[in-house]
Amino acid sequence: MKSIWSKHVRIPERNPLPGNLDTEIAVIGAGMAGILTAFYLAREGKEVLVLEANTTGSGQTSGTTAKITSQHNLIYHRLLTDRGSRGMKLYAESNQKAVREYERIIKDRSISCHYQKRPAFLYTMEQPNAIHLEAISARQAGIPAAEVIETELPFAVKRALRFDSQASFHPLKFLGALSSCLTIFEHTPVLSVRDRTIVTPHGNVTAEKIVFACHYPFPLIPGYYFARMYQERSYVLALSGAGTMEGMYLGIDPDGLSLRSAGQTLLLGGQSHRTGLPGPHPYRNLADTAGRLFPGSVPCCRWSAQDCITLDSLPYIGRFSRRNRRWYVATGFGKWGMTLSMVSAHVLTDLICRGESPYESLYSPLRFPRLSSIPRLAGHAAESAKGLVKGLAPDVMRCPHMGCKLSWNAAESTWECPCHGSRFDSAGKLMTGPSQTSCHCHKLIP
């Protein structure tokens, strides 16, 4: 189930780590966040190398819908409530800068990646007041936001929120061009990290500073990220014969859809669920929706994506923990990995090179949870505890990460951990962490 990005684009592969090495900075993960961070650090004159378990861009970056936008669902009204006007404005400023920085770097380096400026929309058929409040908050944050009724969607909406000067691109073409000048070692999974030492099957890397840009930070302690995040899966159909759209759309209602064109192909996304707790027939449901909304369209590709969700909807970008000043992290991007990868690269580069960032307080992994996060924390803890208790029973598939019971996702023929989101193929081979090792499948597939 390759995405349209990885189906036709192959970034030239790199060799594995050749043995023990010393470096100034090591970045773990060669997705968008890791490559952008390494790129900006190298531009600052730092000696930096990247370690990747598989190949560049083969993880979550290959599953994105590749929207470059500061419109992140109903984030601004929530931030105004939870973080006040200053926090909301910092979020808007950092993400608007990220959107502009993509355009600048693509133009300056003449990167051919189907970059296209286009508007982004949130739409609703049930919650017009939520859109109205988000519009007021976004404008207060400094984003020109317009409430509209008419859209290109093949159905009527009660209200939509438009952000102009957003963009889309081909993420792997961009990543291939940007990574060409970096030192990257592929097929080099990190087994463990101890202070300055990164242990891999091919040798150890000793670094003054280490950046965890591997989607989900796998060390249990320090940081305790397993208790502060969960993972969600969502699904995408690429449709031919469905026409094209100028804008990029996301529905805020429970059954809301994600839509955007990529050339003559329309990307239709939805069916989100917590990893390990799949709903029935996500691809079939999307295909039924496509047939209803776009008669005559034909699915030409399908794939899924996985996103780390934090308890307060803000990513963790900054120092990994109070206990280790050498480690940094970028994770918890929710559904907005492209824009927040650029935000991460700038925040981490500022912290590593200058010791501070104007956005450090907002994104810091060391921040205390707000009261509004407590119900989400309780729900996450309950799901994790349920998986751990079930994992104690005999004759169940267990995740090597923390021993949780694995669930079978029939739509993708994968074993998934509902506690922390690790995924394995039908034979038990590791696909997605935080687990660092495969598991033994002694049980028959359901």
Side-chain angles (χ1 to χ4, degrees):
M1 297 183 184
K2 288 187 175 182
S3 68
I4 58 170
W5 322 122
S6 55
K7 192 173 182 179
H8 301 298
V9 171
R10 186 177 179 84
I11 299 173
E13 290 197 21
R14 308 293 188 91
N15 292 325
L17 184 72
N20 294 342
L21 287 179
D22 290 349
T23 188
E24 188 176 4
I25 302 170
V27 176
I28 303 173
M32 191 63 72
I35 293 300
L36 282 170
T37 301
F39 173 80
Y40 285 105
L41 287 170
R43 203 171 66 168
E44 292 279 346
K46 300 295 184 181
E47 179 191 28
V48 56
L49 62 81
V50 182
L51 301 173
E52 168 56 43
N54 296 301
T55 58
T56 301
S58 62
Q60 306 314 313
T61 300
S62 66
T64 179
T65 52
K67 299 174 182 177
I68 304 172
T69 177
S70 59
Q71 187 185 73
H72 300 167
N73 211 311
L74 302 175
I75 186 67
Y76 294 104
H77 184 64
R78 176 170 182 165
L79 282 174
L80 181 61
T81 303
D82 289 353
R83 300 279 168 174
S85 178
R86 181 176 180 274
M88 178 185 68
K89 289 179 179 178
L90 285 174
Y91 190 89
E93 179 182 286
S94 59
N95 281 276
Q96 286 284 79
K97 282 184 177 180
V99 172
R100 294 192 296 270
E101 181 65 5
Y102 270 111
E103 181 178 20
R104 186 197 67 79
I105 199 169
I106 287 168
K107 287 182 177 179
D108 286 355
R109 299 179 70 85
S110 300
I111 298 176
S112 177
C113 60
H114 307 302
Y115 176 83
Q116 181 181 351
K117 292 185 75 168
R118 59 207 308 177
F121 296 82
L122 294 178
Y123 74 87
T124 184
M125 292 179 283
E126 301 175 7
Q127 307 174 68
N129 192 54
I131 291 288
H132 180 61
L133 292 174
E134 182 70 2
I136 293 172
S137 300
R139 287 193 288 266
Q140 185 178 336
I143 299 174
E147 293 177 76
V148 299
I149 300 297
E150 299 296 326
T151 72
E152 307 162 274
L153 294 169
F155 48 82
V157 303
K158 284 195 174 180
R159 190 164 293 177
L161 177 63
R162 175 175 177 144
F163 284 17
D164 285 318
S165 298
Q166 311 297 288
S168 64
F169 70 152
H170 191 304
L172 295 190
K173 288 189 174 183
F174 174 84
L175 205 64
L178 204 67
S179 63
S180 61
C181 61
L182 299 174
T183 300
I184 303 171
F185 297 107
E186 297 180 340
H187 305 291
T188 304
V190 174
L191 303 178
S192 64
V193 184
R194 299 189 297 268
D195 193 27
R196 296 176 55 211
T197 303
I198 301 172
V199 179
T200 85
H202 309 300
N204 296 345
V205 173
T206 303
E208 289 299 317
K209 296 185 184 298
I210 298 170
V211 176
F212 290 81
C214 46
H215 184 64
Y216 196 118
F218 52 85
L220 298 179
I221 301 171
Y224 300 94
Y225 290 93
F226 67 90
R228 299 194 285 149
M229 290 195 306
Y230 63 96
Q231 299 200 63
E232 281 190 1
R233 295 202 66 71
S234 54
Y235 301 83
V236 183
L237 285 186
L239 304 172
S240 60
T244 60
M245 294 183 177
E246 176 199 9
M248 306 179 294
Y249 293 85
L250 178 69
I252 67 167
D253 303 327
D255 58 349
L257 300 169
S258 168
L259 304 100
R260 77 97 152 170
S261 293
Q264 297 301 306
T265 302
L266 182 69
L267 306 186
L268 175 68
Q271 299 291 307
S272 293
H273 64 82
R274 181 175 173 131
T275 303
L277 302 174
H281 314 301
Y283 289 119
R284 186 191 305 173
N285 293 341
L286 280 178
D288 290 346
T289 300
R292 185 176 70 255
L293 297 180
F294 305 101
S297 64
V298 178
C300 56
C301 194
R302 70 180 194 179
W303 70 93
S304 60
Q306 183 144 309
D307 301 292
C308 291
I309 312 295
T310 66
L311 303 176
D312 61 2
S313 301
L314 285 170
Y316 298 128
I317 307 170
R319 293 178 172 87
F320 194 96
S321 73
R322 290 182 174 85
R323 287 176 52 183
N324 194 325
R325 307 295 289 182
R326 299 184 188 276
W327 293 4
Y328 297 81
V329 67
T331 188
F333 298 158
K335 311 291 184 180
W336 314 109
M338 295 300 95
T339 318
L340 289 169
S341 287
M342 183 66 81
V343 172
S344 297
H346 285 281
V347 171
L348 294 177
T349 299
D350 279 344
L351 289 175
I352 291 171
C353 297
R354 286 168 277 282
E356 60 182 6
S357 164
Y359 309 110
E360 179 180 7
S361 61
L362 179 66
Y363 296 117
S364 173
L366 311 182
R367 66 183 181 264
F368 288 103
R370 302 288 170 142
L371 289 176
S372 60
S373 302
I374 292 177
R376 211 169 184 178
L377 174 63
H380 170 58
E383 287 294 342
S384 297
K386 190 188 306 181
L388 284 166
V389 169
K390 288 181 178 178
L392 295 175
D395 194 34
V396 297
M397 291 290 299
R398 296 187 183 91
C399 179
H401 176 234
M402 291 183 69
C404 296
K405 178 186 177 182
L406 297 178
S407 299
W408 178 249
N409 184 336
E412 300 193 271
S413 298
T414 54
W415 292 102
E416 299 179 353
C417 174
C419 298
H420 308 111
S422 297
R423 299 176 67 240
F424 309 85
D425 68 15
S426 59
K429 183 180 179 181
L430 178 66
M431 299 173 66
T432 305
S435 178
Q436 293 302 98
T437 58
S438 298
C439 65
H440 299 291
C441 287
H442 60 276
K443 188 176 179 182
L444 293 176
I445 294 170

